[in-house]
Amino acid sequence: AKRDLALESLLTTSEIEAWAGTGLITLLPDTRATYRSLIRSVASHINPNTDAPPAINRLPHRSIRPPYSEREVTRIKQLATTQADVRTRAMLMVCAALGFGAGVDATDLLSMTTQSIKDHGEEGIEVVIRGPRARKSWMLPEYQEFLRDGLAVLPQQGALFTAVELKNKGTVGRLYEKPRQIGNTPIAIDQSRMRNTWLCVLMNMP
């Protein structure tokens, strides 16, 4: 019998499965699955019949935030040290130093305590990150004094963020909303961009 070769008739679930099971049998499993997925996606847009396979909901790729420039790093450090509120000033200095100097991101900060930071004097500062991404990181020399100055104001023992601060979502983001910025071009402070800046420094080291 003569088959209906109309596009709508071909792009149905049964036809696609038959094609994948016979016409692609010589291909590797991964390649066969890729072709099958692509044709199913096309079918969901072209075929008006209810027999067409549903479109695949693809998860968007998370955009990679760019690192800060040297000028931006300087501005953030200046912004941190010029805040009137003592605790805000200290927390900004500590969090910025940990981000720029040791690659600590916002998730890491939430579980950190002052004991997580081990100052070995001239040998450097060791940062111990616990949790699902547990690791150790040695702070870049240019941020060590900046970190020490911030820590000097905070309690010598305990979590960086208070229990009250940790109850709400976006704890680190709210910290970066507090600084009073002067000028027409305020700088957006982002812990992930600090970490990316640190990564760029490491990759360019000799």
Side-chain angles (χ1 to χ4, degrees):
K2 185 176 180 180
R3 296 189 62 186
D4 184 357
L5 298 182
L7 192 59
E8 291 82 0
S9 299
L10 293 175
L11 295 181
T12 64
T13 301
S14 57
E15 291 289 345
I16 291 173
E17 294 303 320
W19 172 72
T22 57
L24 303 180
I25 195 65
T26 59
L27 300 179
L28 294 173
D30 287 347
T31 305
R32 187 161 62 245
T34 299
Y35 277 106
R36 178 175 173 273
S37 176
L38 289 172
I39 200 67
R40 283 173 64 91
S41 179
V42 171
S44 68
H45 293 287
I46 294 178
N47 195 345
N49 298 327
T50 56
D51 188 38
I56 299 173
N57 293 324
R58 301 186 183 277
L59 295 175
H61 292 287
R62 184 179 179 182
S63 59
I64 299 176
R65 299 179 184 275
Y68 286 109
S69 66
E70 290 185 13
R71 183 177 180 181
E72 289 174 322
V73 172
T74 300
R75 284 188 60 191
I76 291 174
K77 292 174 70 176
Q78 290 175 340
L79 181 65
T81 56
T82 55
Q83 296 305 302
D85 182 76
V86 176
R87 175 170 169 78
T88 299
R89 182 169 67 247
M91 286 296 293
L92 287 172
M93 293 174 69
V94 169
C95 292
L98 290 171
F100 285 129
V104 175
D105 65 17
T107 303
D108 300 327
L109 285 173
L110 298 180
S111 60
M112 290 192 68
T113 66
T114 51
Q115 294 95 320
S116 303
I117 304 165
K118 303 182 183 298
D119 195 337
H120 300 284
E122 294 183 358
E123 295 181 7
I125 297 178
E126 180 184 11
V127 180
V128 180
I129 298 126
R130 307 188 188 282
R133 295 181 296 177
R135 61 193 188 278
K136 292 182 181 180
S137 178
W138 285 87
M139 177 153 293
L140 297 175
E142 57 265 38
Y143 294 99
Q144 292 180 10
E145 288 305 317
F146 194 67
L147 176 64
R148 289 182 178 117
D149 290 344
L151 287 174
V153 180
L154 299 177
Q156 293 185 356
Q157 294 186 344
L160 291 182
F161 289 95
T162 66
V164 174
E165 292 170 333
L166 291 173
K167 282 184 178 180
N168 301 313
K169 293 182 178 180
T171 300
V172 179
R174 283 197 302 276
L175 169 66
Y176 292 143
E177 293 173 355
K178 291 182 179 180
R180 180 184 178 186
Q181 301 197 36
I182 300 175
N184 297 324
T185 55
I187 186 169
I189 310 176
D190 186 289
Q191 196 72 26
S192 64
R193 290 188 65 187
M194 294 183 194
R195 173 175 166 78
N196 292 342
T197 306
W198 170 77
L199 287 171
C200 286
V201 172
L202 293 188
M203 289 188 292
N204 285 283
M205 281 183 170

